[in-house]
Structure formats: structure tokens, C-alpha cells
Amino acid sequence: MNIKPPKAKKIAKKLTEHGDERVDNYYWLNDRENPEVIAYLNAENEYYDAKTAKIKQLQEDLFQEMKSRIKEEDESVPYKKNQYLYITKFKTGQQYPIYTRKKDNLNAVEEIMFDVNQMAKKHAYFNLSGISVSPNNKIAAFGIDKVSRRQYTLYFKDLETNEILEDKILNTTGSATWANDNKTIFYTQKNPTTLRGEKIFKHILGTDSNEDVEIYFEKDEAFSTYVYKTKSEKYIIIGSYSTVSSEFRILEADNPTGEFRVFQTRERDLEYNIAHFNDHFYILTNKDDAINFKLMKTSEKNTNKKFWEEVLPHRKDVLLEDISIFKDFLVVEERSNGLNKIRIIRWDKSEDFYLPIEEETYSAGVYFNPEYDTNIIRYGYNSMTTPNSVIDFNVDNKTKTIKKEQQVLGGDFDKNNYKSKRIWAKAEDGTKIPISLVYHKNTKLSKKTPLLLYGYGSYGYTIDAGFSTTRLSLLNRGFVFAIAHVRGSEYLGRNWYDTGKLLHKTNTFTDFISCGKHLISEKYTSEKHLYASGGSAGGLLMGAIINMQPDLFNGVVASVPFVDVLTTMLDETIPLTTGEFDEWGNPKTKKYYDYIKTYSPIDNITAQNYPNMLVTAGLHDSQVQYFEPAKWVAKLRDYKTDKNILLLHTNMDAGHGGASGRFNALKETAIDYGFILGLEGYTSLKKNY
């Protein structure tokens, strides 16, 4: 295939900061309204189609194989809230969920609240979000996004008549919070340019949204705001958060015309979250240098931090991640040595114990538990070899009931055929970096073994060792799949995050490279068969590692990659920028500018050989704008000295999360896996272990 790749025209734009001048030849691609921009993206898509023609059948076969593992006729485990049991269903051949409910018990008549398949007809993208039912169970608020820009329109449905009410609220986050009067709704409105959640409004059902009252305006552009109701149903909470601090305002849900009062005034580096129980608030906080957080409490009447009392102390080796409050006990989610633990503490102090979990590496977390007066904790569990399970644990008799275990259809899965383990690599500074691995038991580990190494490593977000049915398409063909738990996540506690952001960000990249080298040295694979993937901030990781160590990987998949870090963080009109200065640093301060410039992928492209690459983008992406990957690929084409494959595929109908619909999402995974399998010489779905 001698077809030539598109060549983006160059229009030099000088960007100057701190006396340093950079030239962006592709800045013109920022204008999505420019027909030439759309033409260029379409040309790249056509080039992608031509270069992948040989694996088109492979991609289709992968999609069909992945789809065959899904139980198409499926439904969720019911959960009970306010007299109703809520169930989400899927029907054979349908892309979207059907939301239903039954009153009192499962034998009651089923009410279909929303059939999203019907609602999504005629839309290339459709997302229904934030279903919230009024306290009297009669009205449901819900948000709809038809563009994938994460700007939702709020609607209201009468669940008794099935009519959509005339109330309509534009440009929201997609969720609404009901006061206890069944007619007052609080919601968050976004800034139309930056998409920051910046204002809280109050809407009265049946009135024009133009008459809605602004309750709160978050003036600090480093903060976003949101609103919710406590599990106790007693308080409406307005939260404001930035990377390093938070603030809450509270109002009794029975008094929607009242004034919100500040719980604890925001302070730099003071983070806290609140939950209500009886006449107290429980506070998860890093107060007093509790880097891994501790649990405190205070009375409803005295919420200032000087009144906070310690409940669970800070521990250097245990990260407190979340709490759930029940009538008779408290549930605490912890992370120790990288692994989730679920702790149950009775309020009367008669018991304090952990749920037993046996596997070496796994993922576990408390599920949605809206009921307050119950002795059952619902939690989710899976590992790299164990499918997702929803489990009810009885706190009184210590028994557990598996309410649902994910079925893997297709006949090619038996958990006993797969091996999972956790190993440790040594970083450049001597720090040990954990790696979770999974592979088929018949896979022979050698230099010829293909291995896909996945990474993220930002925002303190932890990628746990979980199960994936789609991943079986690689494992069943002799691949090893690995997750590099690099710094920038909270896998090993809050310090693991702090040493992977701001002026320590390059630890994320060098950790990933060290993991790749370790896997090679331990004979799991070799440079010719090592692949890397990551998306969004994980795409930044991909961009950094190919500049730093391009010969380590045979192929890289970078999904919606954040690669133009300096330019984006200098432009406060771009969504997310102002709220992320404490993650990346504000480059208007010279020390951050200089540091970011050392790793920003697009600024460090040089004339060298790069690995085979597939880069994906979404035209309507609100998180990483489409022009970042587009400009990055254009510049890579201009500089790279190899003949390796470089492809850009832009979804012209979607945004950051990719296509909507459960099957369309599989097609995107098939594109990624088809690219990697193609580099390994696959043109069909033969098994190769």
C-alpha cells in the first residue's frame, strides 16, 4: 500500500511566554468550523481506512467475537429506594438500556421509565444521564446529551402519565437534586465556553427556566461546583472542589427557600467530604497533614473545623478512600499495599472487621446502597481472571450471597485457564512499581510473547486489576496483558499521587518505561513484541514515552491523548484548563512552564524513529479537544524518520468517551486490538497459544 498520508498545511503561529518562543504550524486546526479542518480530519480517516484495509475483516471478526461474549438479554440486580425496586434491562440486539421499576416487590407490575433505544433513534450519539426521582416517586428528572460534549439538557417526566413536562433546562451537568417538597429542584449550570460547572440554580417545577433563581456562583475558576442530597435525605449540599481543596454549603431539604450556610470555609490544601448521620456529619479529610485521609465527625450545629473530632486516625500505609453510612454500622473503603479493603464498624463498637478477599490482585468496592435501615452491604468484586460479581453481605450472620456474576458467553472462557499475578519493577530512583499481569495458562512466556502494557497515572485515579471480556480476544491469542500502576495514581496511597504530578510528573513516564524494561528483562516479551496503550491523560503518557524511549515499543495506541500540554494550559478558554493548574502547574508561572516544556509530547517531537502508532480522537470531545491529537499526528508525520505506521482515526460523531451504545463501544475496542494484532501478523482470528 503506497498510498501517501495526508499532509497538513503549515501556517506558522508564534506562541510566546516568559520570553520563550514556540512555533505551532498547525494551530489552524483548532477551528472546527473551518471546512478545511473537517476536510483534513476526513482525509486522515480515509488514509486510516486505506492502510487498515487488510485488517478490516479482522476488526469485524473481533467485534463479532467480543459481542458474542455479551449476554444481550440482561438485567441489573434490583436496588430498593423509597418503596420502589429499580432495574436496568438490555434486550437482544439493542444498544441502549431500558430503565424500569416495580413497587414494593419483584412480583409487582413493571413500569418502564425510559426505553433509551426508542429515545436514541435518529441520533448518531445519545446519552441519558442522572435519573433522579422525586421524593413522592411521581416525577423523574433526567439529562440528555446528543452531541457528546457533556452539556446536558434537563427534562422532567411524569411517571404516572408518562408525559414529558414542559420544563426544559439547557447547558447543565445532567443531574438534578430534589428538595423534599417534590417541586423544587437544584441543578448545576455549565460555563458555555469552558464547560466548568460554575452556577447552582433553583427551579420550581411548572415554571419557565428563565425564572430560575441563581443560588450560588463559583467565582474561582480553579473550582467547579455541584449539588446533591445526603443519603439521610435531610440536607441539600452544594460542593465546590479543586485539585487541592474543597468547600461545602448545607441546607435542610425541608426548607428549600432557606439560605445555604458554609460548612467549613475553603483553605488551600484542605480537602474534605461530608456525610450525614443522625445529628452529626462525618468528614473524610486530610486535615492536620493526614495525607492518606482520616475520618472525623462534628455536630450539625457546629461544623467549623475547630469542632471536628477524630473517629478513625490517619495511617501512613492505609489510604481512606470512601465511607458509606447505614443505620447500625459504618462501611469504610480503604486501600492498603495497592489493594481494596472493605471494613465494617458497628456504631456500638461491638464489631470491627474486614470482608475476606483471597486473590493476589483484584478490584473490590462498595456498590450503590441507597437503603439506610438494612443489615445488607452490596459490593462489587472482580479480578483479572474473575468476572464481575455483585454480592450482598449480611453483616449480622457474616454470609454473602452472589446476586449476579457476569456471564461470559461464546464458549471460550474458563477462569481456571488464566493466570494472574502482581510483580514489581524498579524505577530509575529505586522506587518499586507494581505491575498486574494476566495471561492464558498455555501461553509460553519468552521474547516472542506479545504483551500489551496499559497505563494512566494522573489525577490520583487508580486503575485496578479488573476483569474484561474484550481482553480475552488478546489473551486467547497468546498475549500477556499488564497494568503499570505508575505514580500519579493512588494505588499505593496519596503520596503515590503527589509524587506523580506537578514538578514530579516525569515520574509517571519513567515509571512506565521502567515497567516495560522490567517485563523484557524478565523474559515476558521483547521490544519487537511490546505494545503500550493509554487514553486521555494516559495518552499524554503514551506521547511522553515515545519521545523518551521510542525503541522500547513495537506499537502504541494513544486514545484521545492530551499531548499539547503547554498550549492548552496557557489557554484558559479551553475546558478544564483553569481547574487543573494544581495537577499540571500553571505555565504562566515560569518554573511550571519550563518543567512542562520538558515533557509536553508535541513540544518534544524530534527527528527520530517512532513506533507504529494508532491515535484516536473525538470531534466533539470536551475533555481533550480533537485538535490536540490532530496537531500531534501532523507534527509527527513531519519529523519522524521511520517508515512505521502512523494513523489518526477521528470519530466525527462522538466525544471523549467514544461512541454511545454498548455495541458501538465494542467496535472501537476492535479497532485498537485489530491494530495491535495486525502488527503481530494476524489477518484472521486463529488462536495462537
Side-chain angles (χ1 to χ4, degrees), residues 364-383:
V366 175
Y367 230 65
F368 183 50
N369 287 269
E371 282 192 279
Y372 170 72
D373 187 2
T374 177
N375 63 345
I376 301 295
I377 298 170
R378 179 165 292 172
Y379 69 99
Y381 179 85
N382 69 102
S383 73

Side-chain angles (χ1 to χ4, degrees), residues 249-396:
R249 287 166 169 77
I250 63 176
L251 175 68
E252 288 77 4
D254 287 334
N255 182 30
T257 60
E259 296 290 327
F260 281 84
R261 59 189 187 274
V262 176
F263 187 91
Q264 160 60 41
T265 305
R266 70 187 64 179
E267 295 178 9
R268 175 79 181 178
D269 296 322
L270 174 64
E271 296 177 67
Y272 70 95
N273 277 299
I274 58 176
H276 178 252
F277 175 64
N278 285 346
D279 56 356
H280 280 79
F281 281 97
Y282 283 74
I283 308 140
L284 200 62
T285 180
N286 66 350
K287 182 178 178 288
D288 303 323
D289 299 318
I291 187 172
N292 277 333
F293 290 77
K294 61 182 176 181
L295 185 64
M296 307 187 79
K297 73 174 183 178
T298 192
S299 85
E300 294 172 314
K301 297 178 181 179
N302 298 307
T303 60
N304 185 279
K305 69 174 185 177
K306 67 182 179 182
F307 297 107
W308 297 1
E309 305 169 18
E310 189 171 272
V311 177
L312 294 176
H314 173 255
R315 287 169 288 173
K316 290 183 179 180
D317 58 346
V318 177
L319 175 67
L320 288 189
E321 292 191 314
D322 203 0
I323 62 168
S324 299
I325 287 178
F326 296 81
K327 180 183 176 183
D328 295 325
F329 50 86
L330 171 71
V331 178
V332 183
E333 293 182 77
E334 304 177 350
R335 186 179 295 273
S336 177
N337 196 32
L339 301 178
N340 312 110
K341 293 186 177 181
I342 299 173
R343 182 180 179 185
I344 296 100
I345 306 170
R346 288 195 179 273
W347 295 116
D348 64 8
K349 299 183 180 180
S350 62
E351 285 187 304
D352 183 344
F353 63 96
Y354 290 88
L355 292 183
I357 298 174
E358 298 174 356
E359 292 188 76
E360 180 180 358
T361 182
Y362 59 85
S363 176
V366 175
Y367 230 65
F368 183 50
N369 287 269
E371 282 192 279
Y372 170 72
D373 187 2
T374 177
N375 63 345
I376 301 295
I377 298 170
R378 179 165 292 172
Y379 69 99
Y381 179 85
N382 69 102
S383 73
M384 298 184 92
T385 60
T386 304
N388 296 287
S389 296
V390 178
I391 302 168
D392 280 359
F393 181 82
N394 187 308
V395 176
D396 293 337

Side-chain angles (χ1 to χ4, degrees), residues 519-674:
L519 290 164
I520 291 171
S521 68
E522 294 297 308
K523 304 295 191 298
Y524 283 96
T525 189
S526 64
E527 290 90 341
K528 291 182 179 179
H529 300 281
L530 178 59
Y531 301 90
S533 73
S536 193
L540 162 61
L541 172 59
M542 298 299 103
I545 63 169
I546 63 167
N547 286 330
M548 298 167 70
Q549 195 84 45
D551 58 343
L552 189 61
F553 307 93
N554 185 41
V556 170
V557 175
S559 306
V560 293
F562 176 40
V563 284
D564 195 5
V565 187
L566 264 185
T567 305
T568 292
M569 295 306 297
L570 284 165
D571 187 349
E572 296 184 12
T573 68
I574 292 177
L576 300 186
T577 292
T578 57
E580 300 202 352
F581 288 148
D582 289 313
E583 178 73 27
W584 311 103
N586 185 347
K588 290 183 179 178
T589 301
K590 191 174 187 302
K591 68 175 181 178
Y592 290 117
Y593 178 93
D594 292 341
Y595 186 76
I596 292 171
K597 191 178 179 183
T598 66
Y599 70 75
S600 177
I602 206 166
D603 293 295
N604 287 278
I605 293 172
T606 59
Q608 64 178 350
N609 290 349
Y610 283 93
N612 297 289
M613 293 179 62
L614 169 63
V615 182
T616 65
L619 181 63
H620 303 291
D621 198 330
S622 62
Q623 311 298 103
V624 177
Q625 310 300 305
Y626 72 91
F627 47 77
E628 291 202 37
K631 292 195 298 182
W632 184 46
V633 168
K635 188 172 181 180
L636 279 168
R637 290 205 193 286
D638 196 38
Y639 274 80
K640 73 191 198 83
T641 55
D642 58 84
K643 294 183 180 180
N644 289 331
I645 300 168
L646 174 58
L647 301 174
L648 172 66
H649 183 266
T650 302
N651 189 325
M652 306 300 280
D653 297 315
H656 199 65
S660 62
R662 55 177 175 160
F663 302 137
N664 288 339
L666 292 179
K667 290 181 178 179
E668 296 189 338
T669 303
I671 286 174
D672 296 347
Y673 285 5

